[in-house]
Every structure is written in C-alpha cells, then in structure tokens.
Amino acid sequence: MIDLYLNLPVWVQATIKGLIAIGVLIPVAGACSMAERKVSAWIQGRPGPNRAIVPWVAWIPFVGKALQRLGVFHLMADGAKFVFKEDVVPGHVNKFYYYVAPLVALIPALCTIVVVPFGAYIDATTETLKPLILADVDVGILAVFAIGSLSVYALILAGWASNSKYPFLGGVRASAQLISYELSMTLSVIPVFLWVNAPGGNGTLSLFDVVESQSQAGFLGGMWFIFLMPMCAFIFLVALFAETNRQPFDMPESESDLVGGFHTEYGEFKWSLFFVAEYVHMTIGSGVFVLLFLGGWNPLPWIPLEMVISSMPMWLGALVGVGCFLGKTFFFIFFFMWVRWTLPRFRYDQVMKLGWQKLLPLAIANVIFYALAIAMIELS
Amino acid sequence: MPDILFHLFAFLTLASSVAVVINHNAVNSALAFLVGLVGVSGLFVLLDSFLLAVLMILVYAGAVVALFLFIIMLLDMQGGERKSFSKPTAVAAVIGSALLVVCSMTLIRSFGGLDAPDAASILPVGANLKHYGDQLFTTYLLPVQVVGFLLLTAMLGVIVLSKKFDGMGDVK
C-alpha cells in the first residue's frame, strides 16, 4: 500500500495530500457551525438545537439520544438544505462576479493550509523532529499572510457584484477594515521572528522553526511566546478577529445595520461557501496563533513534544503531536465563539479608530521595545 | 513541466495586462491587474525566488489592488464615454509609436545576439531571506531610502492637498 503510494508521480501524491487536508478542513468547518450554535446556546442559558434525528439512529440506545441532544442532525439537515434549495439569482447582479465571489472566498481559505504545519513526527533514519506539512517553504508565515490577504477580494467582489446598497457598503467596509488590520497583524509577529532568528542563522520565517524555538531546553527556551511576548499575542489576536470578520469586528456583515452585509443577495449553496470559508479562515487563523504563541504541538510549556514521544512508535508520536495541536486550535475556536457572545459589536468608526489610532501605534512601539530588548539580551 | 508552466504564466500575465488597458470598466481593469500580478508571482516561483513571489502577492495583490478597488467603489466610477483625442494625446501617441518602432527594431536586430549569462554566476538574491536582507541593507541601502523618502513626500502631499486648513492661515 505504502509502496504503491510512493511509486505514484509527485503531482498525484501532492493532489492526494491536498485532498486529504481539504477533507479534514471542511468537516471541521461544519462542526464549527454546529459548535457555534451550541456554544451560543450554552452562554445564553438555553439548550440550543436538540430535536432533529434520523429515525433509525433513534433506535440505538443512549448513543442515539446523545447525538440528538448534541444537535448533530441539525447540521446535516442544514447542509442538505443548502444543496437542494432553489438557486435564486437576483436580476440586478453582475452575473460573472456574483458567481466568482464565493469561489474567491473559499479557494484562498483552503490554500492557506498548504504552508501551515499541523504536527510533527520523529524521522526514524535521522532521529530528528520533522514537521507534518504539505509544502515546507522557508517563507512560511509570509505565505500565510499573502494567501490570507487575497480573501478580501471575495468580500469586495460580492459586495460590488450584488449591485445594491447594503452589500456595497459591506464590501467597502471590508476592504478598508482588512487592509487596516493587516498592518498591525504583520507588525505584531516581527518580535517573534527577531527572537527566533538568532544572529548567524540563515534567516527563516518557517512556522516549524518558531515551534522548535519554543521547545528548547532551559527556562527561556521552553517558554511559550505568549508568556514571553504577551503584547504581541494580544495585538495578533485582535487583528486576527478583524481579519476573519468575527464579532466584535464583523463590520462587512453586521446584520443589525446592513441586513447581511456583503452576502445579503446570496442564498443557498453560494452563501454556504462564504460560510465555510469564514470557518476555515477561523480554523487556520487559530492554528497559526497556536503555532506562533502557544507552542504548536508541544503538550505543555517546558515539556517539548520530542521528550514525550521519543519512546513511542512513529505513527503514535505523530498522532500525539497532531492531537495536541488540534486540541489547542479547537480551544481557540471556542474562544472566538466565547468572545462573539460576550462583547457587543463595535461601530464602524470605532473599528477604524481602534485600528489606526490605538492598535497600529501600539504594534510599532511593541516592535521597537522588543527589538531593543532582544538586542540587549544578545549583546550581554 | 516548468516550460509549460512558464508559457502558462507568461500568457496569463500578458493577456491580463492587455485586458487592464483595453477594459472600459475600471473594476474589470483592476481585477485583470490582480490576475496579472498572480501571473508575475508565478513566474517568480519558477525562478525559485519564493520570497519575491510571496511579497508580490502580499503587497501588490493583497493590499494595493484592494485599495484601488476601494477607491473605484468609493468614487463609483463607471466606464463612461471615451474622450475624443486632444492635441497633446495625438502628439504623445506619435512619440509613443515612434519609440515602440525603435524598440522593436532593436529587438529584432539583436535577436540571438545577446549571451545568456551563466546561471551559476547570478547571485540568488531573491531566493533566500538572508541574501535579500543583506543586499537590502548594503548594496541597495541608498535606493531603498530614496524610494522610501519619495513615498513619504507623496503621502505628505496628499495630506496637504486634501486637508482643509481652516483658521490656520499662517501654516499655509
């Protein structure tokens, strides 16, 4: 089986790997939508979706009831509804861009996974830790930002192509908001890479190396960057909320003043593509945050993965690594939902003020502070 | 394989660049420009300069074209009627075509006459972060600073032109 796989041409192997990654991401996005409903219900003190059930599952004792209470079948019913609903296209839209926009939303969102490592294993021949990643390029984080930044076009195009007032406002807001917060986001990770790239090194932006430098020996070496650079983590997190259009930053959508924002004119499957893209963005954004600040696949601060899995077989070690990474990522997705149902939405002018007058100066000051501090540590 | 990809990306870049110029609708032009940038970045990838490819997408495709679209949407520019040729346009057209003729003549004459430089002798500046940073802070320090200053001047100019200095006569 493995020989057969290894004998395939490289591009077939790459396609299989990519399809597997997508095959994991899309169900995770679906599960997120389910979790969102359950978490919101839990925070508001109500049971949430707990009624729908497929007849023959109801006959299974205990498990059937548990699944029903969890609301799993609402998710399936929702998904089926999106596929089978009538495809309504408003007469006043720009057809080409109207159809292209959901694709532009989903494709960059899924592409980002290519450069995000999601686990590590100990290579049997060299006895070193290797990342589980689709493409190990040394531009790492820049590639994530670059592909991620393309998602703004989905919102702009959807808003513009819909050719009506509210979506248009949503599109304009989206373009301004995403560009504003991209600056702070990029600035906030600079101290991390200043710390990772010790003098004399070859210069790396790879996320794997960031995790590696959080799993060194010693007090400073094993420290997760969220403790070492809390301000960077905070700025990155706020910018991440803005970039993924999550509340309190969901200005492009903002259903209380813009109906549905950029996707007001969208329905059925096309709308669900936007929806999936948002959750995929959230998942990958959380993953990147975990890699940068929460030690990636290391189970606990000062306890690197290599120490835990060195005596395990390779596949088990890899599973432990992926498990740690996914556990933290899912916690962060929960955190996104937690914030959504805790903080009220900002007004648009507050979003802009926060971005340009508070967060950006803070990010610049933060870079200068850490640059000086790191230089002082290196010199001493 | 790289040859096929090169032709693909080169065609993509050229076709979308032509589309930028001939499109009436400003939004179409901006998006064709976006596709062209993706094509150029693909060409960079084929040259093994991943850093330049990523920066191309990050800065130009990710931010600059988004700003273009923002402005186009904010000003609500619809294609509109094409202006008839004025005198300066005609003069510029003549000069432009003359230059094009000169350029193509030179190209045809020197076809095959240029030596391709040895691939090994070219420094892989765009391929590696360290090389890129080194060059930026040593060889190209002055040009980078000058261009940065130029951008700052442009920004200050915009602020001076667009801001209303009411009751601040002495500042003007």
Side-chain angles (χ1 to χ4, degrees):
Chain A
M1 187 72 184
I2 286 179
D3 283 339
L4 180 71
Y5 171 74
L6 289 178
N7 284 334
L8 290 171
V10 178
W11 64 272
V12 178
Q13 282 186 23
T15 313
I16 292 174
K17 282 191 217 163
L19 285 178
I20 292 174
I22 291 174
V24 172
L25 267 180
I26 287 188
V28 165
C32 282
S33 78
M34 198 64 248
E36 177 110 47
R37 289 166 156 203
K38 274 299 191 189
V39 170
S40 62
W42 176 62
I43 288 177
Q44 296 167 349
R46 55 189 173 84
N50 64 349
R51 294 300 170 90
I53 190 156
V54 185
W56 55 85
V57 178
W59 301 334
I60 310 171
F62 303 117
V63 179
K65 266 273 185 280
L67 285 179
Q68 185 186 19
R69 274 209 208 103
L70 210 60
V72 177
F73 303 103
H74 284 267
L75 171 66
M76 292 176 189
D78 242 11
K81 181 192 76 177
F82 283 133
V83 180
F84 292 118
K85 252 173 138 181
E86 189 193 346
D87 189 31
V88 184
V89 179
H92 52 76
V93 300
N94 181 327
K95 286 260 167 32
F96 177 70
Y97 290 127
Y98 181 79
Y99 278 110
V100 164
L103 296 177
V104 177
L106 191 64
I107 293 171
L110 291 176
C111 282
T112 328
I113 191 68
V114 171
V115 285
V116 177
F118 42 81
Y121 65 99
I122 295 181
D123 194 43
T125 47
T126 54
E127 297 268 316
T128 48
L129 211 61
K130 287 270 172 66
L132 284 169
I133 185 171
L134 293 182
D136 197 6
V137 287
D138 68 343
V139 284
I141 186 81
L142 271 184
V144 175
F145 285 159
I147 304 171
S149 69
L150 288 182
S151 64
V152 61
Y153 293 107
L155 279 64
I156 298 181
L157 279 183
W160 184 75
S162 294
N163 198 13
S164 67
K165 298 271 185 315
Y166 288 133
F168 183 73
L169 280 175
V172 171
R173 282 180 176 191
S175 52
Q177 176 186 327
L178 266 65
I179 291 174
S180 315
Y181 281 80
E182 219 170 76
L183 280 173
S184 312
M185 193 178 209
T186 318
L187 282 174
S188 73
V189 298
I190 288 178
V192 172
F193 286 94
L194 280 178
W195 183 250
V196 171
N197 286 300
N202 216 354
T204 174
L205 290 174
S206 148
L207 287 165
F208 176 69
D209 292 331
V210 173
V211 178
E212 277 300 273
S213 73
Q214 293 176 69
S215 28
Q216 312 277 322
F219 179 72
L220 269 185
M223 197 184 242
W224 288 357
F225 287 155
I226 193 167
F227 304 124
L228 198 65
M229 310 170 181
M231 195 42 103
C232 301
F234 174 72
I235 297 170
F236 187 83
L237 193 64
V238 173
L240 190 64
F241 271 88
E243 289 288 308
T244 47
N245 297 320
R246 292 289 300 181
Q247 260 131 346
F249 288 100
D250 67 337
M251 286 301 118
E253 225 177 294
S254 162
E255 68 270 10
S256 54
D257 47 336
L258 292 187
V259 189
F262 66 96
H263 58 50
T264 306
E265 305 284 354
Y266 282 84
E268 73 295 319
F269 198 64
K270 294 193 290 299
W271 183 82
S272 71
L273 287 183
F274 280 120
F275 195 65
V276 170
E278 182 182 328
Y279 280 112
V280 171
H281 264 299
M282 210 167 94
T283 313
I284 293 179
S286 313
V288 171
F289 185 86
V290 167
L291 291 168
L292 283 174
F293 297 107
L294 283 180
W297 38 82
N298 294 327
L300 286 170
W302 295 287
I303 302 181
L305 179 74
E306 207 168 356
M307 209 158 86
V308 181
I309 64 168
S310 52
S311 55
M312 293 179 190
M314 195 180 97
W315 60 271
L316 189 63
L319 274 186
V320 170
V322 173
C324 288
F325 174 70
L326 281 184
K328 288 182 210 172
T329 307
F330 288 150
F331 171 76
F332 252 87
I333 293 172
F334 167 73
F335 183 77
F336 268 88
M337 292 164 186
W338 191 6
V339 169
R340 171 173 184 176
W341 298 105
T342 308
L343 293 178
R345 175 185 293 128
F346 291 124
R347 257 186 359 241
Y348 187 64
D349 60 323
Q350 289 173 328
V351 168
M352 282 293 125
K353 233 179 208 151
L354 182 73
W356 288 105
Q357 296 189 353
K358 307 232 164 68
L359 211 59
L360 188 63
L362 191 66
I364 294 172
N366 180 52
V367 169
I368 295 172
F369 172 76
Y370 277 103
L372 290 177
I374 290 170
M376 245 130 71
I377 292 175
E378 296 288 348
L379 285 178
S380 63
Chain B
M1 188 78 170
D3 271 356
I4 301 171
L5 286 176
F6 172 77
H7 286 123
L8 189 75
F9 283 125
F11 177 74
L12 194 72
T13 313
L14 287 178
S16 53
S17 311
V18 172
V20 173
V21 181
I22 62 173
N23 247 314
H24 280 243
N25 189 328
V27 172
N28 282 342
S29 288
L31 288 167
F33 183 42
L34 178 67
V35 175
L37 288 171
V38 173
V40 172
S41 130
L43 290 176
F44 275 133
V45 169
L46 291 180
L47 291 172
D48 282 343
S49 358
F50 301 112
L51 184 68
L52 288 182
V54 164
L55 287 180
M56 195 83 190
I57 297 277
L58 184 66
V59 176
Y60 288 96
V64 172
V65 179
L67 275 177
F68 283 0
L69 277 174
F70 179 71
I71 300 299
I72 292 168
M73 283 162 67
L74 209 65
L75 301 182
D76 197 21
M77 282 195 269
Q78 301 296 339
E81 294 295 301
R82 193 160 280 197
K83 277 187 205 156
S84 55
F85 283 109
S86 60
K87 228 178 229 168
T89 322
V91 175
V94 170
I95 296 174
S97 355
L99 278 175
L100 185 68
V101 169
V102 172
C103 285
S104 22
M105 285 300 285
T106 324
L107 184 73
I108 293 165
R109 272 210 202 147
S110 66
F111 195 78
L114 279 177
D115 301 327
D118 186 19
S121 68
I122 305 169
L123 277 177
V125 170
N128 181 305
L129 271 176
K130 196 182 174 188
H131 281 295
Y132 190 76
D134 264 357
Q135 295 293 318
L136 217 55
F137 280 96
T138 53
T139 318
Y140 298 103
L141 184 61
L142 186 66
V144 169
Q145 294 295 328
V146 169
V147 170
F149 191 72
L150 206 64
L151 284 174
L152 187 69
T153 318
M155 206 162 75
L156 285 176
V158 169
I159 292 172
V160 169
L161 286 178
S162 63
K163 194 146 180 145
K164 291 193 175 60
F165 293 99
D166 287 336
M168 290 169 71
D170 51 330
V171 175
K172 253 179 188 170

